Amino acid sequence: MSDQYPLKGTSKRKGITIEIDEVMCKGCNVCVEVCPVDALDMEGIGSRWQGYLAVIKDIEACTGCLLCELQCPDFAISVTVPDKKKKAAAAK
């Protein structure tokens, strides 16, 4: 488990949720490299895989583009984006 950054978080503003499975993550850094808003980071965790684990650096910066989830070779990241149609209907 990460000491500095969380492995699960939900944006209070946008309702986007990111979950990182620490068992599946091998610390390859692909998610960090593809994130256009720098919402993810790598944290050193000792001797697991490559010694790093993906963590959430800034959940509020996340736009819900799903690039991290789609590019993760080990399916270690799950991003949930609220349905905009449901939000619009609830607002009426």
Side-chain angles (χ1 to χ4, degrees):
M1 170 95 61
S2 171
D3 292 333
Q4 187 176 2
Y5 298 118
L7 298 176
K8 179 177 180 180
T10 301
S11 166
K12 292 178 181 157
R13 246 184 2 214
K14 304 171 195 169
I16 298 167
T17 299
I18 301 173
E19 290 186 61
I20 300 169
D21 184 335
E22 68 180 304
V23 174
M24 298 297 289
C25 178
K26 66 181 177 193
C28 68
N29 202 42
V30 169
C31 58
V32 175
E33 292 296 321
V34 300
C35 181
V37 293
D38 202 27
L40 302 173
D41 201 1
M42 299 304 291
E43 183 174 294
I45 58 162
S47 62
R48 282 201 42 205
W49 290 92
Q50 297 179 30
Y52 291 92
L53 177 69
V55 292
I56 302 166
K57 179 178 170 183
D58 185 0
I59 187 70
E60 294 303 330
C62 180
T63 61
C65 70
L66 304 177
L67 284 175
C68 58
E69 181 178 326
L70 294 171
Q71 295 297 316
C72 179
D74 299 300
F75 307 102
I77 299 179
S78 173
V79 179
T80 305
V81 180
D83 187 359
K84 290 181 183 178
K85 291 178 185 175
K86 287 181 185 176
K87 276 190 166 181
K92 289 181 180 181

